[in-house]
Amino acid sequence: KTSSSSALGPDGLNIAQSFFKPIHNTTPPPPTTRNTKISVVGVGNVGMAIAQTILTQSLADELALVDVNPDKLRGEMLDLQHAAAFLPRTKISASVDFSSTVGSDLVIVTAGARQIVGESRLNLLQRNVSLFRKVVPPLAAASPECVLLVVSNPVDVLTYVAWKLSGFPSNRVVGSGTNLDSSRFRFLIADHLDLNAQDVQAYIVGEHGDSSVALWSSISVGGVPILSFLERQQIAYEKQTLEKIHKEVVEGAYEVIRLKGYTSWAIGYSAASLARAILRDQRSIHPVSVLAKGFYGIDGGEPFLSLPAQLGRSGVLGVTNVHLTEEEANKLRESAKTILELQTQLGI
């Protein structure tokens, strides 16, 4: 176990008390003062992109990194610590032991097995379930009041697995889901209209994968519903054009992986946006993987899939009642069936 330290000199002499002289008439810090702690499990490309973004955005007072590879772990920790002069002050620790995550407010799980050439999706999922059986229970025991954010893929099914293994209430287990898909969606729409993606409201919901659903009916630009605007202005558009944009969203990750070998920066920013919404109780809306039973006609089983959800300090505060067309609602229910088919084969 290693961490940042102010100890200098022989035998780890702590010179802080000698270096600073206290001012007169001081009082100790108030007992309510506490640090915000985030733990990131898995220091691969995704985990470190998330850790780096969390640091640069000053989202935590303490960051704990956990991985099974001690050398990689220590190397990543030192690399981040060496940037201390350019970052907000954050205590960074690294350990192969889950006890280092004790007292976390948010635990982000990025660890997962990689798919072997020719391996079925179900076999890959079973290997990840075996990994989660080793990871999730000790994390839940170390931080029983934390919010658990799952980023590992396939994220929807693994969020369900994490919920079952943790014993947490469903509001405190969230999957990164289609938060990143929706960002890609907003970027492509903004690119077509030559404007800032932050002025576009648009959601991809359902599975983080091939059966995801683009909510075209709810897209707005600067508060103006885009499809109804086109109809009022009698501007013709083809459904094939819309479907092409959705296809680009679905294939976006595959394209990045083909070109550079993995995805990292976009999911780093995506996870950091969710961390900010949760830890700062922003009550902002994000399309994330949640327990979808009872929403939009999804009644069978306990599927986890992405819906526009309000996030705050206790995790998921509620699901937004977004209007769906009949076609969109049917596609969402089909997406739920796709996920349920996998969940039912896990035996959890």
Side-chain angles (χ1 to χ4, degrees), residues 1-8 14 35 55 61-65 73-74 76-84 88-95:
K1 182 177 179 179
T2 53
S3 66
S4 54
S5 173
S6 61
L8 297 172
N14 192 330
N35 290 336
L55 287 174
D61 302 297
E62 185 175 351
L63 177 65
L65 305 176
L73 192 61
R74 178 167 172 78
E76 294 289 6
M77 180 198 71
L78 291 174
D79 209 4
L80 290 177
Q81 288 178 345
H82 295 167
R89 185 172 184 266
T90 305
K91 180 182 178 182
I92 304 170
S93 63
S95 176

Side-chain angles (χ1 to χ4, degrees), residues 163-225:
W163 173 53
K164 288 295 187 179
L165 294 176
S166 67
F168 283 3
S170 60
N171 63 294
R172 288 203 284 118
V173 183
V174 186
S176 55
T178 57
N179 194 52
L180 177 53
D181 307 64
S182 297
S183 175
R184 292 188 181 112
F185 193 33
R186 292 168 65 187
F187 161 73
L188 290 170
I189 294 168
D191 196 43
H192 275 271
L193 299 176
D194 193 23
L195 52 80
N196 193 319
Q198 293 184 351
D199 291 319
V200 177
Q201 283 292 321
Y203 295 123
I204 299 287
V205 296
E207 179 195 17
H208 173 59
D210 296 342
S211 72
S212 64
V213 182
L215 300 187
W216 291 102
S217 63
S218 63
I219 296 175
S220 66
V221 176
V224 179

Side-chain angles (χ1 to χ4, degrees), residues 213-259:
V213 182
L215 300 187
W216 291 102
S217 63
S218 63
I219 296 175
S220 66
V221 176
V224 179
I226 190 70
L227 293 191
S228 60
F229 170 80
L230 294 176
E231 290 172 359
R232 286 198 307 273
Q233 298 296 319
Q234 297 183 340
I235 300 174
Y237 65 90
E238 295 182 350
K239 193 173 182 180
Q240 289 84 349
T241 303
L242 307 184
E243 291 174 349
K244 183 181 177 182
I245 294 175
H246 182 213
K247 185 179 180 182
E248 287 184 60
V249 171
V250 173
E251 295 179 350
Y254 301 129
E255 177 74 358
V256 174
I257 292 169
R258 183 183 68 80
L259 293 169

Side-chain angles (χ1 to χ4, degrees), residues 171 277 281-284 290 309-319:
N171 63 294
D281 198 29
Q282 290 196 328
R283 298 173 177 261
S284 50
V290 299
Q310 186 185 41
L311 299 181
R313 193 60 187 80
S314 59
V316 180
L317 305 180
V319 172

Side-chain angles (χ1 to χ4, degrees), residues 4-5 14 21 50 58 65 71 75 78 86 128 149 151 160-161 163 173 218 231 242 255 265 278 281 289 322 341:
S4 54
S5 173
N14 192 330
K21 291 183 178 180
I50 293 172
S58 191
L65 305 176
D71 290 340
L78 291 174
F86 316 114
N128 275 315
L149 174 59
V151 179
Y160 165 80
V161 171
W163 173 53
V173 183
S218 63
E231 290 172 359
L242 307 184
E255 177 74 358
W265 300 120
I278 292 167
D281 198 29
S289 193
V322 176
E341 286 175 7

